[in-house]
Amino acid sequence: MSRLLFVASEAYPLIKTGGLADVAGSLPEVLRQNGMDVRLLLPAYQDVLRIIPAPMPVAELELAGTRIRILETRLPGTATVTWLLDHPLFAERPGNPYHDPRGHPWPDNADRFMLLSRLAAAISTGQTPLDWRPDVLHCNDWHTGPAIALTHLSEYRPRTVFTIHSLAHMGLFDRATFDRLGLPQHFWHDGTLEFYNQLSFIKGGLVFADYITTVSPTYAREICHAPGGMGLEGLLRQRQERLVGILNGIDHSFWDPATDPCLAQNYSVDSVELKSANKSALLQELGLPPWEGCPLVGIVGRLVEQKGLELILPVVTEILASPAQLVVLGTGDPRYEEGLRALAAERPDAMVLILAYNEALAHRIEAAADVFLMPSLFEPCGLNQLYSLRYGTLPVVREVGGLADTVVDARPETLAAGTATGFVFQRPEASELLGAVRRATGLWSDQASWRRLQQTAMRQDFSWQQSASRYLALYNATDL
Ligand code: ADP
Ligand code: GLC
């Protein structure tokens, strides 16, 4: 049986800030079900230790002059063996894994995630008291990039895979931090971890991994060119033969309208008419007066530039006039929070804003809304549009990254062929977004056509099994 060490900085349901947690909470378990001997490695943040009160210590060792413990548990709801890196750098930090309550990155993030990387590399090269080392080390995003670089310092190293969930965060730190971390001098070189006179954690993965993956085929192409590559396009083009786009899946044990315990009313593709009970329940819950003959538009996500807030804010008034009601759930950039707050205050009859992180409410909005807005400027994969499709909530998206790969625009040809699943626009302009929303609200009035689109959307198969098979093929590839 092949052994896999899967390393990430967050995994649902233990700790989550975004889609990475959804992936790290699902993919390892599906790989385990496909016959791999999997260990998921995560930091033991304070909030994780609260959920798992008595994890079992399985090893204690010294890494770069500091003592750490490895605690063992199972990822809740799965049989995936999960190792938690126990150290005060994680255990003494409550809340968000990356920043303080005011939104400032923890000043020692380089030390924190270098420790995670060092442990991943030590396990991978057999330098721990554990009687286990992997055949494959699979790291995710900048927090774990150096792990792959560090395995190259050992004679024995496993096969390595590095997944880019977003290039927007590269883990950049100054030269003094590089020196403090005590990394080998040859890592300060533009052929290794240096990036324009800074230390870049993500380059550890991009330069040294046997395979680089990212979370959609379109994003895999976009990052090989400016502006999508964010300065790393040259390196990524050099490594293009080893760069693969594998679309994320969705976990039906959490995201299935037929069984979702958060919903007022469960429904399926054969009973879509029941979906509207969720809309009535949500409007009541949020205190929005029900408007007859008008769709409900939903937005759930981080309120940051990436998610297209610059396109949404200028046309909210027109969207409401189309007519439509709007519910927004998210937290993020204070600029956007403030802008949305002002708009919601102007139109309490039509718009509700919830500035919070609320998993159950995210499920209820996916089920209640008719239309879901996700006009991202860039989107490596995106999970919310996949959840929307599954819940028969037709997405309005920009043709970029994973959004382009997963939503089929409702045009005369696709409507006639019965393949349409949503509304897609191209240029990052508010007027184009508005045009797509108007096409959606227009089609919504034709309930028979709308129902056909919903059923096509709900029948799309974005289960993890397909994607897991592609990762397995890479783990076993013979072209190295
Ligand atoms: P990203 O990872 O870029 O934020 P994704 O679409 O891949 O975008 O994943 C976002 C995940 O985070 C989804 O599971 C979404 O439901 C969840 N999410 C984001 N913001 C919130 C929020 N305010 N409340 C609840 N869930 C949220
Ligand atoms: C990142 C991306 C998002 C992707 C998620 C999981 O957060 O922004 O598009 O779905 O990672 O891969």
Side-chain angles (χ1 to χ4, degrees):
M1 198 193 293
S2 273
R3 284 165 307 210
L4 167 69
L5 179 64
F6 191 96
V7 194
S9 57
E10 50 181 279
Y12 186 79
L14 290 177
I15 181 98
K16 168 168 169 178
T17 69
L20 169 61
D22 289 352
V23 174
S26 306
L27 176 58
E29 172 66 7
V30 179
L31 293 166
R32 191 195 63 77
Q33 290 164 2
N34 278 264
M36 295 208 77
D37 176 19
V38 181
R39 299 290 180 278
L40 170 64
L41 175 64
L42 298 173
Y45 305 105
Q46 197 176 87
D47 290 9
V48 170
L49 291 170
R50 275 209 193 101
I51 304 176
I52 312 258
M56 191 176 51
V58 290
E60 194 168 330
L61 62 145
E62 192 161 308
L63 285 174
T66 188
R67 279 207 90 66
I68 65 115
R69 287 196 311 163
I70 302 174
L71 309 176
E72 184 171 305
T73 184
R74 302 278 152 139
L75 187 69
T78 75
T80 297
V81 177
T82 302
W83 282 341
L84 302 172
L85 160 54
D86 185 27
H87 187 274
L89 281 176
F90 297 111
E92 291 174 3
R93 300 294 160 79
N96 188 288
Y98 316 118
H99 56 73
D100 68 18
R102 286 164 53 226
H104 299 141
W106 295 112
D108 50 5
N109 271 347
D111 307 75
R112 300 171 76 227
F113 293 108
M114 187 57 75
L115 196 60
L116 177 65
S117 290
R118 284 192 202 280
L119 178 59
I123 297 172
S124 300
T125 54
Q127 295 175 46
T128 71
L130 295 164
D131 183 22
W132 189 96
R133 68 183 192 189
D135 304 299
V136 181
L137 167 64
H138 187 157
C139 290
N140 294 274
D141 270 357
W142 72 266
H143 324 91
T144 59
I148 295 187
L150 290 168
T151 62
H152 281 251
L153 302 177
S154 288
E155 200 179 323
Y156 169 84
R157 60 179 193 89
R159 174 170 295 210
T160 53
V161 176
F162 182 75
T163 298
I164 304 167
H165 296 267
S166 176
L167 271 190
H169 302 284
M170 299 184 188
L172 297 177
F173 302 98
D174 62 13
R175 171 78 204 210
T177 304
F178 176 85
D179 292 336
R180 190 180 72 242
L181 292 173
L183 293 169
Q185 283 307 312
H186 70 272
F187 280 177
W188 190 266
H189 182 273
D190 68 356
T192 54
L193 269 59
E194 190 227 344
F195 182 66
Y196 296 103
N197 220 26
Q198 289 192 287
L199 162 65
S200 160
F201 271 41
I202 204 170
K203 280 188 72 181
L206 303 183
V207 171
F208 289 101
D210 294 322
Y211 291 99
I212 305 167
T213 73
T214 188
V215 286
S216 69
T218 295
Y219 191 62
R221 287 192 297 277
E222 288 168 351
I223 58 179
C224 288
H225 303 276
M230 298 184 172
L232 288 164
E233 54 275 8
L235 169 59
L236 289 163
R237 267 205 307 279
Q238 268 174 32
R239 301 227 55 210
Q240 213 160 0
E241 278 177 19
R242 293 294 179 82
L243 170 63
V244 187
I246 303 178
L247 212 52
N248 286 332
I250 63 175
D251 190 334
H252 294 155
S253 50
F254 297 115
W255 292 95
D256 181 353
T259 54
D260 190 333
C262 303
L263 308 193
Q265 170 69 57
N266 290 113
Y267 59 98
S268 69
V269 66
D270 300 318
S271 57
V272 197
E273 66 286 353
L274 299 178
K275 176 172 158 58
S276 61
N278 291 295
K279 180 168 166 181
S280 314
L282 185 79
L283 294 180
Q284 195 175 15
E285 174 185 343
L286 300 178
L288 259 194
W291 284 2
E292 280 305 314
C294 155
L296 177 66
V297 177
I299 297 176
V300 177
R302 294 180 295 119
L303 303 176
V304 296
E305 195 180 6
Q306 174 194 343
K307 301 294 173 182
L309 271 296
E310 302 280 354
L311 310 188
I312 297 172
L313 283 169
V315 292
V316 164
T317 309
E318 283 94 335
I319 291 175
L320 300 179
S322 61
Q325 288 177 295
L326 177 63
V327 46
V328 182
L329 168 66
T331 56
D333 190 327
R335 276 186 301 161
Y336 301 133
E337 291 190 355
E338 202 34 63
L340 287 167
R341 208 195 317 257
L343 287 159
E346 255 172 47
R347 290 296 307 275
D349 58 322
M351 175 174 172
V352 173
L353 169 68
I354 306 103
L355 292 175
Y357 188 93
N358 184 333
E359 190 77 26
L361 185 55
H363 286 241
R364 290 201 290 280
I365 293 173
E366 288 286 6
D370 299 292
V371 176
F372 191 87
L373 279 200
M374 200 157 163
S376 306
L377 300 185
F378 69 93
E379 196 60 74
C381 177
L383 292 168
N384 274 316
Q385 86 281 13
L386 300 181
Y387 301 144
S388 301
L389 291 168
R390 181 77 182 168
Y391 281 61
T393 303
L394 301 183
V396 171
V397 301
R398 194 163 95 76
E399 191 175 30
V400 71
L403 300 174
D405 292 337
T406 54
V407 181
V408 177
D409 187 31
R411 294 187 303 273
E413 321 81 84
T414 56
L415 285 169
T419 54
T421 59
F423 305 87
V424 184
F425 67 98
Q426 275 149 9
R427 279 175 298 134
E429 286 169 19
S431 59
E432 288 227 357
L433 165 62
L434 183 59
V437 172
R438 285 188 174 141
R439 284 199 289 130
T441 53
L443 195 73
W444 183 82
S445 323
D446 171 1
Q447 278 291 307
S449 303
W450 191 263
R451 185 57 47 86
R452 268 199 303 282
L453 256 72
Q454 285 182 302
Q455 287 175 328
T456 310
M458 292 176 80
R459 288 201 177 98
Q460 302 300 304
D461 180 9
F462 292 111
S463 62
W464 265 114
Q465 184 52 47
Q466 294 193 47
S467 314
S469 308
R470 302 208 49 210
Y471 284 108
L472 287 169
L474 274 193
Y475 297 161
N476 296 313
T478 49
D479 62 344
L480 283 180

